[in-house]
Amino acid sequence: AQSVTQLGSHVSVSEGALVLLRCNYSSSVPPYLFWYVQYPNQGLQLLLKYTSAATLVKGINGFEAEFKKSETSFHLTKPSAHMSDAAEYFCAVTYTGNQFYFGTGTSLTVIP
Amino acid sequence: EAGVAQSPRYKIIEKRQSVAFWCNPISGHATLYWYQQILGQGPKLLIQFQNNGVVDDSQLPKDRFSAERLKGVDSTLKIQPAKLEDSAVYLCASSPGTRSNEQFFGPGTRLTVL
């Protein structure tokens, strides 16, 4: 089945350290890929999206992600973690624009 | 621009009762989605509307869940009767409808079934 896999349900980093959240998709069909963030008791907010233009995508709040077709990956990174980055992060994929598949999420904890 | 509105924000009911959730998408957005997000999981699509027609309802438990989008704007999701396993956050999202467009999410309705 076409889907996304997020490795690591929980990630902890120190404030100021590199953030790396992993996402792999499973399909040979070119996808559209998204990263969303969810703060407690809120809906999902788009961080960034890949739509077959540049493979390195820059998003809000200093996040970026690189689409690597050879690795079927779309990992999310941020050079320096901030306390306000603590949240749940979801990777999502669509191939048709009709069905969106979400990963199971990664909870990011930032340690002061 | 106003975001996606949902109500109520919280609902507690007993099993076998009925419940309804309401969603008002962003003005002009043709596509509307209802998701179920169980604690610790990613959102799961229940139903997708394009204007007032259903595009995908393959994961909607039709024996107890129903949804409508009359006039292609607001939408209502109903559960009748509710089961314990229906406890979740129900998210509504909308998008302009083109293939690469992001979805804009509402704050969700947290349902607790006792």
Side-chain angles (χ1 to χ4, degrees), chain A residues 30 32 34 36 38 41-44 46 49 51 90 94-100 102-105, chain B residues 9-10 33 35 37 40-43 45 48 55-56 58 91 99-103 105-107 110:
Chain A
Y32 293 112
F34 304 79
Y36 284 87
Q38 186 177 34
N41 299 315
Q42 295 186 27
L44 279 70
L46 182 72
K49 64 178 179 181
T51 58
F90 293 94
T94 184
Y95 301 92
T96 64
N98 285 333
Q99 287 188 321
F100 281 74
F102 283 83
T104 51
Chain B
R9 291 295 311 277
Y10 305 91
Y33 309 80
Y35 288 89
Q37 186 179 19
Q41 300 181 19
L45 180 67
Q48 177 185 344
V55 173
D56 183 357
S58 57
L91 295 166
R99 181 178 172 183
S100 64
N101 265 295
E102 69 178 279
Q103 297 178 41
F105 284 82
R110 182 177 297 277

Side-chain angles (χ1 to χ4, degrees), chain A residues 28 51-52 57 76 82 98 104 112:
Chain A
S28 57
T51 58
S52 73
V57 181
L76 181 71
H82 192 272
N98 285 333
T104 51

Side-chain angles (χ1 to χ4, degrees), chain B residues 44-106:
Chain B
K44 183 186 83 171
L45 180 67
L46 292 176
I47 189 167
Q48 177 185 344
F49 293 94
Q50 181 76 16
N51 296 309
N52 60 352
V54 176
V55 173
D56 183 357
D57 64 356
S58 57
Q59 298 194 84
L60 186 73
K62 299 180 186 62
D63 58 333
R64 297 184 300 105
F65 285 64
S66 64
E68 59 184 11
R69 192 185 183 196
L70 300 177
K71 302 180 182 178
V73 182
D74 294 12
S75 178
T76 302
L77 176 69
K78 296 179 181 178
I79 307 175
Q80 181 181 9
K83 293 185 175 182
L84 296 177
E85 58 261 36
D86 298 332
S87 294
V89 175
Y90 290 84
L91 295 166
C92 179
S94 70
S95 76
T98 60
R99 181 178 172 183
S100 64
N101 265 295
E102 69 178 279
Q103 297 178 41
F104 294 82
F105 284 82

Side-chain angles (χ1 to χ4, degrees), chain A residues 1 40 48 58 70 73 89 97:
Chain A
L48 48 81
K58 294 187 182 298
S70 61
S73 68
Y89 291 81

Side-chain angles (χ1 to χ4, degrees), chain A:
Chain A
Q2 298 171 340
S3 65
V4 289
T5 301
Q6 290 184 242
L7 294 176
S9 57
H10 293 89
V11 171
S12 294
V13 300
S14 297
E15 190 175 15
L18 171 70
V19 176
L20 171 60
L21 305 182
R22 300 177 185 274
C23 173
N24 288 85
Y25 65 94
S26 57
S27 174
S28 57
V29 175
Y32 293 112
L33 292 154
F34 304 79
W35 274 101
Y36 284 87
V37 61
Q38 186 177 34
Y39 297 101
N41 299 315
Q42 295 186 27
L44 279 70
Q45 178 185 3
L46 182 72
L47 280 176
L48 48 81
K49 64 178 179 181
Y50 167 75
T51 58
S52 73
T55 56
L56 182 62
V57 181
K58 294 187 182 298
I60 63 171
N61 301 339
F63 284 95
E64 62 182 37
E66 185 173 7
F67 173 72
K68 292 187 177 180
K69 185 177 179 180
S70 61
E71 298 177 8
T72 61
S73 68
F74 190 57
H75 301 332
L76 181 71
T77 61
K78 181 174 180 177
S80 177
H82 192 272
M83 295 299 294
S84 61
D85 295 328
E88 190 85 15
Y89 291 81
F90 293 94
C91 181
V93 64
T94 184
Y95 301 92
T96 64
N98 285 333
Q99 287 188 321
F100 281 74
Y101 300 93
F102 283 83
T104 51
T106 298
S107 177
L108 176 65
T109 299
V110 182
I111 304 167

